Amino acid sequence: MGSTMEGTLSTALFGSGVAVRGVLFDIDDTLVDLEYSMTTALRDVSEHLLPGLDAAGWEKFGRIFTHETTHFYDRYLAGELTFNEQRLLRGRAALGHFGVELGEGEESHAWLSEYARLQPSYVRAFDDVVPVLDALDAAGIPYGAVSNNVHDYQRVKLDSAGLSRISVLVGTDSVGVPKPDPAIYLEGVRLLGTRPEETLYVGDNRLLDADGATAAGLRGVWLNRVGEIAEGFSGREIDSLARLLEQERV
């Protein structure tokens, strides 16, 4: 069974002759629908500040927080902000777009605390995750996750999404560097007990996941769920984790 699965992954992704003996995944928006959990919790904690905001407004609010303020998260990764500081700055930027100023002190603390309490309850795995993990388990192929966030926070996220079976987990605090530093991918490889060249790394960020992992010697795969156009990208691209198994269904 194991050799059949290895052949399936090899044929689907790289052509014959390349054995796949381990798989590492990004977490946010790869295994779990982080955007859904963030935007749903954001609305819950902000509706009293934005009464009457229509659906288009909430969509814009969520887009600012999740996509247009990631420079604050980059500053967190660089050690310039704490995790809560970057989260609060993103919230203030989103609210500020609609003319709402989140006050200092108790108001900010309450907003941040309630968001932190609610957001994990909305974390869910994408529908294509469990079938892939089931197939890897059946084949005896080890897998794990490497994330640009701290280990314990991501551990709670995986467990909340019903993915406690993913026991190998590397966070930025595990090695002291974020992606795309090669050390963080290679720590995942070490924990799997595989070699970089026989290990897939699958994630939704083309630069950090596909290109970064490939530069570290792994076989990077870009999970492009939203159909983003990337001129000049010549690496392996899939639109669903199910593509990893599509050969098995033929």
Side-chain angles (χ1 to χ4, degrees):
M1 180 97 179
S3 61
T4 300
M5 183 62 185
E6 286 181 5
T8 297
L9 286 168
S10 175
T11 301
L13 294 173
F14 304 111
S16 60
V18 179
V20 174
R21 303 192 186 279
V23 182
L24 292 167
F25 298 95
D26 171 56
I27 296 177
D28 295 331
D29 293 321
T30 295
L31 295 176
V32 304
D33 191 347
L34 179 65
E35 184 165 350
Y36 169 82
S37 68
M38 292 170 71
T39 55
T40 306
L42 281 169
R43 182 163 183 168
D44 282 356
V45 302
S46 304
E47 278 187 311
H48 69 290
L49 298 170
L50 296 167
L53 191 65
D54 61 14
W58 284 115
E59 182 180 353
K60 176 63 176 176
F61 183 84
R63 187 164 62 250
I64 293 171
F65 187 89
T66 58
H67 295 293
E68 297 178 17
T69 55
T70 53
H71 56 283
F72 291 125
Y73 191 79
D74 292 339
R75 289 179 61 192
Y76 156 67
L77 291 176
E80 298 174 8
L81 297 171
T82 68
F83 185 76
N84 280 337
E85 284 171 342
Q86 65 85 27
R87 180 178 269 178
L88 183 58
L89 286 169
R90 295 170 78 171
R92 282 188 170 139
L95 289 166
H97 178 82
F98 296 93
V100 175
E101 183 177 349
L102 193 62
E104 298 287 347
E106 183 58 33
E107 186 178 19
S108 291
H109 177 75
W111 185 91
L112 192 61
S113 297
E114 186 66 0
Y115 176 81
R117 184 184 71 83
L118 287 173
Q119 191 260 339
S121 69
Y122 291 117
V123 172
R124 62 186 186 185
F126 287 103
D127 291 341
D128 55 6
V129 174
V130 169
V132 168
L133 299 186
D134 285 345
L136 293 172
D137 280 335
I141 294 178
Y143 53 83
V146 174
S147 172
N148 257 9
N149 210 321
V150 295
H151 177 281
D152 290 353
Y153 180 70
Q154 296 299 75
R155 179 74 270 163
V156 171
K157 191 180 293 179
L158 288 175
D159 294 348
S160 298
L163 300 176
S164 57
R165 67 206 281 186
I166 300 177
S167 58
V168 170
L169 171 59
V170 179
T172 53
D173 55 335
S174 302
V175 291
V177 294
K179 297 181 286 188
D181 190 294
I184 194 168
Y185 312 98
L186 295 177
E187 176 64 4
V189 170
R190 185 187 72 81
L191 292 174
L192 290 186
T194 56
R195 296 196 303 266
E197 65 272 16
E198 60 190 19
T199 306
L200 299 186
Y201 187 88
V202 186
D204 71 298
N205 188 301
R206 177 176 56 87
L207 297 176
L208 296 182
D209 297 328
D211 291 346
T214 298
L218 287 73
R219 299 187 175 276
V221 181
W222 181 26
L223 175 60
N224 186 7
R225 292 188 183 278
V226 298
E228 177 186 345
I229 303 299
E231 296 292 339
F233 179 70
S234 59
R236 178 64 191 183
E237 178 183 346
I238 56 176
D239 60 7
S240 166
L241 293 179
R243 300 294 186 196
L244 298 175
L245 307 177
E246 63 184 359
Q247 295 293 317
E248 191 171 54
R249 298 198 296 268
V250 175

